[in-house]
Amino acid sequence: MNAMILRAGCAIVIAVMALDALAQGKPIAYPSKGQSAQQQQKDDGACYSWAKSNTGIDPATASQAPPPQGGPAVGGGERVGGAARGAAGGAVIGAIAGDAGKGAAIGAAAGTMGGGMRARQNKRAQEANAQAQSQGAMSTYYRAWAACMQGRGYSIQ
């Protein structure tokens, strides 16, 4: 139970950090040395290429979400494992009550539901981690881009 609470808490923290990073977006460059709009566009393109080659991060691909995984059993068999554990526990309790088969069936059903819940929690945590990694990559890229633009005489906010 504590592990589930810890996972949920971590997923929430990561999601909040990702949303904060999304809200920040690309820094804004102000031409502090009187550069024209055409020159700023040229410098922006050059800094895009420079930051991409120096960080290995392409913002066109790093900002895309990973493809969603489908199916109810995503996460590596949590339902099957839950069913097996539930059936074993239910059989023991059922044997004490006088009907091991009925206890095993009830335990398997409960275990399957618990396993499905774990699968969904794990999937949400994986998606939040992927989003946080993507935002971390974008932050690295934008720091490099900003350094380049500052070197070319722009004020960055």
Side-chain angles (χ1 to χ4, degrees):
M1 186 59 116
N2 288 336
M4 290 176 18
I5 293 171
L6 180 61
R7 284 182 189 162
C10 288
I12 290 170
V13 168
I14 290 170
V16 167
M17 288 174 24
L19 288 174
D20 183 48
L22 274 175
Q24 292 176 4
K26 182 179 178 179
I28 297 170
Y30 176 76
S32 57
K33 294 186 177 179
Q35 297 95 326
S36 67
Q38 186 176 25
Q39 181 63 42
Q40 184 173 357
Q41 206 171 26
K42 182 179 173 184
D43 290 339
D44 183 53
C47 288
Y48 169 87
S49 297
W50 182 85
K52 180 180 166 185
S53 67
N54 281 288
T55 63
I57 298 164
D58 184 357
T61 59
S63 63
Q64 295 173 351
Q69 298 176 3
V74 171
E78 284 93 346
R79 288 177 189 232
V80 173
R85 286 187 299 275
V92 170
I93 293 170
I96 293 169
D99 190 350
K102 191 180 276 189
I106 293 169
T112 300
M113 292 181 350
M117 183 175 73
R118 279 191 298 281
R120 288 186 296 278
Q121 287 174 337
N122 289 341
K123 183 179 176 188
R124 283 191 296 269
Q126 288 172 349
E127 289 170 351
N129 286 337
Q131 184 68 26
Q133 287 176 351
S134 173
Q135 291 307 315
M138 290 303 297
S139 176
T140 299
Y141 166 81
Y142 284 139
R143 282 196 321 270
W145 177 86
C148 177
M149 291 296 279
Q150 284 177 334
R152 292 173 179 256
Y154 295 86
S155 175
I156 306 296
Q157 289 292 320

